[in-house]
Amino acid sequence: MEAGYSSCNAALNGAASLGSPAGHNTPRGFLFQLPTELVIKIFQFALPSADSMLNEVEAQIISYMRTLSTIRLIAKRWQQIVDDIPLFWKFIISTLPPHVNEATIIRSKNGPLRIIYSCGPMYPGGPEPSAEDFLGSLAHTFPRWSAYSGPLVSRYFHVPAPHLQTIILKDGGTSIEALDLLGGSAKTLRHVHLEGILIRWKTGLFAQLKVLKLVNVFPFRAGFTSTHLLDALRASPYLEHLELGAMSWATVDHPPCIDFYDLRFSFAGAILRHIRAPSCTKLSLNGLVSNNEQDLSASLNEDLQNFQELFRGMHSRNGFSEITLDQYGFQWNSRAKDAEQLPGFLVFIFCYSAIPCISWVDHILQGDPSLSIRFTFNANIYQELLEIIKPMRYVTRLEIDDVRSIDESLLALRFLGEPLSTDPSSPSLPGLQELRLTGIKWTAQNVLGMVRSRFNSLWWKGTEWAPLTISVSRAFTKRGLPRPMIDLSTLAKIRETDGVECVQFIGMEELDGTLAITWDEEASAPAWV
C-alpha cells in the first residue's frame, strides 16, 4: 500500500489538533458562507471514489480517508459538517489505526458500514491483526454491515444479515464445512464474490444480483450445478457481471462483459445458450475444455449460436482478429495489443483438433477480411489442418513461430506455394499479404522455394495477387532463442521475386525494410541490401 500512516495526514494518525489551521478560525471567504446542503454536495464530489468491490480498494479507502481528514482541518465549520454526516463515515479497514476505525463507528451513528480486512500491519512497524481479532472488535456492529471483503471467519456469515449487500469471501480452505450463507437467506445480496469457499447451494438462494463471481467453489463437494447458476440468472434480470473461474463476467439482457475460464465446454455451454448479449463489449471464453471433436463442433455451433453476430461485429469494428494454434489447442482473439480498450473477444479452447474451431470461424466471418493465423508454441501442423485453411481468402497474415519440428515448419511453407484443389488458378490463402517467420525451423532457401512456387507457377501465370511482405525476426526469436545466421544473398533473391513486396527484419527496432548494410568495394561506399 502506498505510504505509511506517518504521511497520511496528521488527523488520520490522531497526532493533530481538531481545530482549523491558523488564519481560518473565523473564515470570511465566499466558500465558508455556502449553505450546508451545498457544502455537503461539494465534499461528496471532492472525495475520491472508493469502491469496495475492486482489487485496489485499500489504496482507494486510504485516499478517501486522507481527503476526508484534510477537509476537516480546513475550518471548524467544515469539521462539524463532516463529523455530523454519517454518510461520510462508512469504511472500516484493518490497516487503519484502531482509533480511526473507532471514530468512524461513532460518527457513522447507525449508518451502514463497509468492512475490509487487508493483510498487513496497521502502520509501518505496527501489529498485524488477525482476521478473527479484527472482526471480533467489530462484532457489535454486524447488523450494520453493508459490505464485507476478507477471509471467511467462523461465527460470521452463517446468520441472516438484512443490510449486507456486498460480500467478498476468499480463502475458505478445502477442509472447512460447507457454509450456509447468511442462514440460507441471501436474497439481500447484490454483489457476491466467493473464492475458495464451500457453500450449500440451493435454488432460490440469490435474487436481484448485479455481480456474481465464483472462483474455485468446489462444485462437486457443494453439489453446485448449472441449474443453480441458471436459477440465479433468471432471478437476476439486471445482472451486470458473471464470472466463473476454475470450475467469469457476464451480463444478462444487455451485458457489458462476459468472462468464462477453465470450464468444461458442456458446463459453460449449458449457461451460454441461455444468454443474450447484443450490447456486450467484452467476451472472454478462456480455457474451455473439449475432449471430443464431434461434441466440440456441436457445442460451437449450438451453444455459441447467440454470439455469432457479436463475434462478426467485433471483428469488423476492430478490423482485425487472430487465430492462434499451439500445443494446447485453439485461440481466437479480436484485440490487438495496441487496441486493448476497444470492444473485443477472446475464445480459447483446449482441444485435440482445431479443425472444428477453424470451420466455425470460417462460417462466422463469411469472408470478412483481416484474419490472421499464427502457429506457435509447439503447434501441431498437419495436412488435414492445412487443407481447411488453404481456401480462406480473407486470411491476410500468417505467422509461423515455434512449431514442433522442421518438417512441420516446411510443410506450412510448402502449402503456401501450392494451388487450391478446388481452384487450381489460385494459390493457397489467395489474400495473404504478410508472412511472419518468427521461429527458427526454416532456412532462407526454404522461403525462396516457396515464393518461386507461389508467384512463378504456370497455374496462375498472368494473374495478379496481393503483394507479399515477408517479416523475419532479428537475431533472437520471440522466446529469446538465438537465430542461426541467415544467408543474406538468398534473402535478397527472395525480395527480388515478382510478387514479393519486401523482406524485412522485425523486432524491438523500427522497421525500415533494410536487411543489412554491406560495403561495396567497387563504389567504395556502403550499400543497403
Side-chain angles (χ1 to χ4, degrees), residues 336-369:
K337 291 181 179 179
D338 57 350
E340 294 182 356
Q341 301 305 317
L342 292 177
F345 61 80
L346 168 68
V347 179
F348 176 55
I349 302 173
F350 291 103
C351 56
Y352 294 122
S353 172
I355 289 178
C357 303
I358 293 173
S359 299
W360 172 66
V361 173
D362 192 22
H363 171 72
I364 291 175
L365 293 186
Q366 299 177 354
D368 204 339

Side-chain angles (χ1 to χ4, degrees), residues 2-23:
E2 179 185 353
Y5 288 99
S6 59
S7 62
C8 283
N9 285 317
L12 201 53
N13 282 322
S17 167
L18 294 178
S20 301

Side-chain angles (χ1 to χ4, degrees), residues 129-165:
S130 66
E132 291 79 3
D133 291 343
F134 174 65
L135 294 187
S137 67
L138 303 172
H140 64 289
T141 67
F142 181 74
R144 296 167 53 194
W145 292 8
S146 66
Y148 172 76
S149 175
L152 176 62
V153 177
S154 60
R155 298 184 292 109
Y156 296 89
F157 313 112
H158 66 284
V159 295
H163 298 293
L164 193 62
Q165 295 189 332

Side-chain angles (χ1 to χ4, degrees), residues 184-486:
S185 179
K187 291 186 177 180
T188 61
L189 295 174
R190 297 296 175 261
H191 179 113
V192 176
H193 175 175
L194 304 177
E195 188 166 334
I197 301 294
L198 181 65
I199 71 169
R200 293 175 185 159
W201 286 94
K202 64 178 183 178
T203 57
L205 180 61
F206 300 118
Q208 303 300 323
L209 290 174
K210 291 188 175 181
V211 175
L212 178 59
K213 180 175 181 179
L214 306 174
V215 179
N216 195 22
V217 294
F218 314 112
F220 299 109
R221 289 181 56 194
F224 176 72
T225 67
S226 59
T227 299
H228 294 114
L229 183 57
L230 290 173
D231 175 70
L233 293 180
R234 293 188 187 102
S236 305
Y238 302 105
L239 188 71
E240 296 173 359
H241 290 85
L242 166 66
E243 181 169 344
L244 303 179
M247 321 186 320
S248 278
W249 289 352
T251 301
V252 177
D253 283 339
H254 300 288
C257 178
I258 299 176
D259 188 354
F260 281 28
Y261 58 92
D262 295 347
L263 301 178
R264 288 276 175 188
F265 210 143
S266 56
F267 178 84
I271 300 162
L272 291 167
R273 67 171 68 107
H274 291 276
I275 294 178
R276 304 295 185 272
S279 302
C280 182
T281 58
K282 176 180 177 291
L283 174 60
S284 178
L285 308 176
N286 191 356
L288 302 183
V289 181
S290 177
N291 296 323
N292 183 287
E293 185 172 335
Q294 186 173 355
D295 292 344
L296 174 58
S297 180
S299 295
L300 288 167
N301 290 295
E302 296 173 11
D303 297 339
L304 297 181
Q305 183 176 9
N306 295 333
F307 298 93
Q308 291 187 5
E309 288 297 327
L310 186 68
F311 290 129
R312 186 183 302 114
M314 287 183 177
H315 170 89
S316 297
R317 285 194 299 271
N318 292 357
F320 167 87
S321 68
E322 181 175 73
I323 291 175
T324 299
L325 304 175
D326 62 20
Q327 67 176 351
Y328 299 111
F330 164 91
Q331 175 178 292
W332 186 25
N333 183 11
S334 73
R335 290 191 169 193
K337 291 181 179 179
D338 57 350
E340 294 182 356
Q341 301 305 317
L342 292 177
F345 61 80
L346 168 68
V347 179
F348 176 55
I349 302 173
F350 291 103
C351 56
Y352 294 122
S353 172
I355 289 178
C357 303
I358 293 173
S359 299
W360 172 66
V361 173
D362 192 22
H363 171 72
I364 291 175
L365 293 186
Q366 299 177 354
D368 204 339
S370 299
L371 178 68
S372 173
I373 296 180
R374 183 164 69 104
F375 296 109
T376 185
F377 197 52
N378 293 330
N380 182 19
I381 301 177
Y382 50 98
Q383 191 63 42
E384 187 180 2
L385 175 67
L386 296 178
E387 289 297 330
I388 295 293
I389 295 174
K390 269 186 179 183
M392 299 173 72
R393 295 177 177 271
Y394 50 92
V395 173
T396 55
R397 188 173 78 179
L398 178 70
E399 179 174 344
I400 304 175
D401 186 12
D402 184 16
V403 298
R404 291 186 180 183
S405 66
I406 293 177
D407 288 342
E408 290 186 0
S409 180
L410 299 185
L411 181 65
L413 282 174
R414 281 198 298 269
F415 107 97
L416 292 176
E418 297 172 353
L420 297 178
S421 56
T422 57
D423 181 10
S425 64
S426 299
S428 301
L429 300 181
L432 189 66
Q433 298 175 18
E434 181 181 6
L435 172 64
R436 290 193 163 215
L437 300 172
T438 52
I440 60 175
K441 295 171 182 175
W442 58 272
T443 66
Q445 195 64 43
N446 301 142
V447 180
L448 178 61
M450 180 275 292
V451 296
R452 286 178 172 172
S453 296
R454 183 175 181 85
F455 295 110
N456 297 340
S457 173
L458 295 176
W459 285 104
W460 43 85
K461 202 79 172 171
T463 304
E464 293 187 5
W465 302 107
L468 181 65
T469 294
I470 300 176
S471 303
V472 181
S473 291
R474 296 184 188 274
F476 293 90
T477 67
K478 285 185 175 180
R479 304 186 185 280
L481 299 174
R483 170 180 303 292
M485 292 295 293
I486 300 176

